[in-house]
């Protein structure tokens, strides 16, 4: 009887331990499988990001090489290529994100849940990303309608001046004349008034304003201004053949106003583009000042006459 009891007890203990051993092995196997699947997903995410980065970098550098090599030969507008180059990264990373969502069950389930509540989700995302989407749409409109292109000299409604250096999905980069970069969102660029000095025709008629004293010889001043401007290497004779036959002056100069202390003259000067017009104006103003000093033509400054009245005599003071 005692032996039978011992055998039954041994078998019960052995069976209990066997069941728990099987459960423990099953638990370890499930953990191993789960860990293996998790590592696969991690490698999938990292691999997708690395491939997207390599592909994006390669395509951007390829487009850069193509633009630098062929844009001048093909006489093509580089704006389209630069915009495409800046859009490549966004497109590739979006494709990579969709790939990750489609391959990982958790993300796929999450995507299905988000798709089921697409109305609410779209409203939230739309409200949060209103500015971002308006910049993207603005960038596309700038690319289609081309109010300016890469390399154009422009001035914005806010007074920023410079050369368009880059147009991305979000913003436009302008290099000003101090070599600083001005970054303006595309939504603003597509809505504001833009002064484009390079569109259609790059030739510029620069207005140069000069004031002379009332007692100065106006004809001498005009001749000095005309001679200085016509000798500048950036000056272009903008006269028509008819005006040349009629012996019209090579530089047109007009009196634009009789001010409080000066006679205001304006010279209309043609140059090939905006940059050369700025350089011509600075050089010409300096040379005109030096020549006026030699020829005795006064450039006035404000005068104020003060009259002191006493009972029997008057004093006049002119500073």
């Amino acid at each position: 009887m005692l032996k039978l009891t011992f055998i039954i007890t041994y078998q019960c203990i052995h069976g209990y331990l066997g069941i728990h051993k099987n459960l423990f092995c099953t638990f370890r196997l499930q953990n191993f499988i789960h860990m293996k699947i998790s590592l696969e997903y991690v490698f999938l995410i990292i691999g997708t990001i690395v491939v997207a980065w390599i592909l994006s970098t390669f395509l951007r550098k390829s487009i850069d090489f193509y633009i630098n090599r062929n844009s001048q030969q093909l006489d093509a507008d580089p704006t389209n290529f630069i915009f495409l180059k800046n859009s490549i990264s966004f497109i590739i990373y979006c494709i990579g994100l969709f790939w990750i969502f489609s391959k990982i069950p958790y993300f796929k389930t999450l995507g299905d849940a988000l798709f089921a509540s697409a109305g609410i989700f779209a409203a939230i995302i739309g409200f949060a990303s209103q500015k971002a989407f308006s910049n993207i749409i603005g960038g596309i409109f700038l690319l289609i309608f081309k109010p300016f292109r890469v390399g154009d000299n422009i001035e914005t409604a806010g007074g920023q001046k410079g050369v368009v250096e880059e147009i991305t999905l979000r913003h436009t980069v302008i290099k000003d004349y101090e070599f600083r970069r001005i970054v303006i969102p595309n939504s603003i660029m597509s809505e504001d008034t833009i002064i484009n000095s390079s569109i259609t025709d790059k030739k510029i008629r620069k207005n140069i304003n000069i004031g002379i004293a009332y007692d100065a010889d106006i004809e001498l001043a005009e001749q000095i201004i005309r001679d200085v401007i016509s000798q500048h290497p950036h000056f272009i004779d903008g006269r028509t053949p008819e005006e040349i036959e009629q012996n019209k002056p090579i530089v047109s100069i007009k009196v634009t106003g009789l001010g409080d202390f000066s006679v205001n003259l304006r010279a209309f000067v043609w140059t090939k583009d905006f940059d050369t017009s700025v350089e011509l104006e600075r050089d010409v103003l300096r040379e005109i000042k030096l020549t006026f000093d030699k020829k005795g033509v006064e450039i006035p400054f404000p005068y104020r006459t003060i009259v002191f009245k006493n009972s029997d005599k008057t004093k006049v003071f002119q500073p």
Side-chain angles (χ1 to χ4, degrees), residues 27 39 68 71 77 114 127 145 165 198 229 245-246 264 271 278 300 302 307-308:
F27 178 73
L39 287 175
N68 295 332
S71 60
D77 183 8
L114 292 175
F127 181 77
F145 298 107
E165 189 173 60
S198 304
I229 292 174
E245 289 180 2
Q246 296 171 7
N264 301 321
T271 60
V278 174
V307 178
F308 296 94

Side-chain angles (χ1 to χ4, degrees), residues 33-309:
I33 294 172
H34 181 71
M35 184 180 299
K36 184 178 179 182
I37 294 174
S38 298
L39 287 175
E40 288 179 357
Y41 292 156
V42 170
F43 289 143
L44 175 65
I45 294 172
I46 295 175
T48 303
I49 293 173
V50 171
V51 170
W53 177 78
I54 293 173
L55 188 60
S56 171
T57 304
F58 173 75
L59 290 176
R60 285 173 63 90
K61 289 188 178 298
S62 300
I63 293 174
D64 266 338
F65 176 77
Y66 179 80
I67 293 172
N68 295 332
R69 183 176 180 179
N70 298 320
S71 60
Q72 292 183 352
Q73 297 176 0
L74 298 175
D75 195 22
D77 183 8
T79 304
N80 300 332
F81 299 112
I82 293 175
F83 187 86
L84 176 62
K85 180 194 74 173
N86 293 322
S87 306
I88 284 292
S89 298
F90 176 77
I91 295 171
I92 290 176
Y93 281 114
C94 283
I95 293 173
L97 182 64
F98 289 140
W99 170 262
I100 292 172
F101 266 74
S102 65
K103 291 299 180 180
I104 299 179
Y106 173 76
F107 288 152
K108 189 174 182 181
T109 305
L110 179 62
D112 293 338
L114 292 175
F115 183 76
S117 58
I120 300 174
F121 183 73
I124 295 173
I125 293 298
F127 181 77
S129 306
Q130 183 178 2
K131 286 291 185 182
F133 283 120
S134 65
N135 288 328
I136 293 173
I137 297 299
I140 295 173
F141 283 171
L142 291 176
L143 179 65
I144 294 173
F145 298 107
K146 288 186 174 64
F148 53 84
R149 299 163 299 177
V150 172
D152 283 1
N153 287 280
I154 66 171
E155 179 179 355
T156 67
Q160 293 91 352
K161 299 179 182 179
V163 179
V164 178
E165 189 173 60
E166 194 174 26
I167 302 175
T168 69
L169 277 175
R170 180 194 171 274
H171 57 263
T172 299
V173 180
I174 301 173
K175 182 176 70 175
D176 70 3
Y177 297 104
E178 296 179 350
F179 281 82
R180 298 175 300 177
R181 269 59 179 182
I182 304 170
V183 181
I184 304 176
N186 287 333
S187 58
I188 296 176
M189 294 297 292
S190 62
E191 293 176 0
D192 277 357
T193 301
I194 304 294
I195 300 174
N196 192 334
S197 300
S198 304
I199 195 169
T200 306
D201 186 3
K202 291 186 177 182
K203 193 165 63 172
I204 295 291
R205 191 188 72 176
K206 187 70 175 176
N207 299 335
I208 300 178
N209 299 310
I210 301 138
I212 61 173
Y214 272 94
D215 56 357
D217 186 340
I218 189 170
E219 293 182 355
L220 176 60
E222 288 180 349
Q223 188 59 46
I224 292 171
I225 295 170
R226 191 171 288 116
D227 291 342
V228 169
I229 292 174
S230 61
Q231 292 171 9
H232 196 279
H234 292 327
F235 169 74
I236 294 176
D237 188 354
R239 294 177 296 174
T240 64
E242 292 79 11
E243 290 175 337
I244 294 175
E245 289 180 2
Q246 296 171 7
N247 201 25
K248 292 287 185 71
I250 191 171
V251 178
S252 177
I253 301 174
K254 304 293 182 183
V255 177
T256 58
L258 301 175
D260 295 337
F261 53 88
S262 66
V263 177
N264 301 321
L265 305 178
R266 176 173 295 171
F268 302 94
V269 186
W270 287 96
T271 60
K272 66 177 183 179
D273 55 31
F274 182 82
D275 289 338
T276 55
S277 72
V278 174
E279 185 177 351
L280 179 143
E281 181 183 25
R282 294 168 180 172
D283 294 343
V284 160
L285 287 176
R286 180 180 185 277
E287 191 62 31
I288 288 173
K289 171 64 170 66
L290 295 175
T291 309
F292 275 6
D293 291 343
K294 293 177 183 178
K295 300 293 185 178
V297 178
E298 181 183 0
I299 298 177
F301 53 88
Y303 284 94
R304 177 171 296 174
T305 301
I306 302 174
V307 178
F308 296 94
K309 290 188 176 180

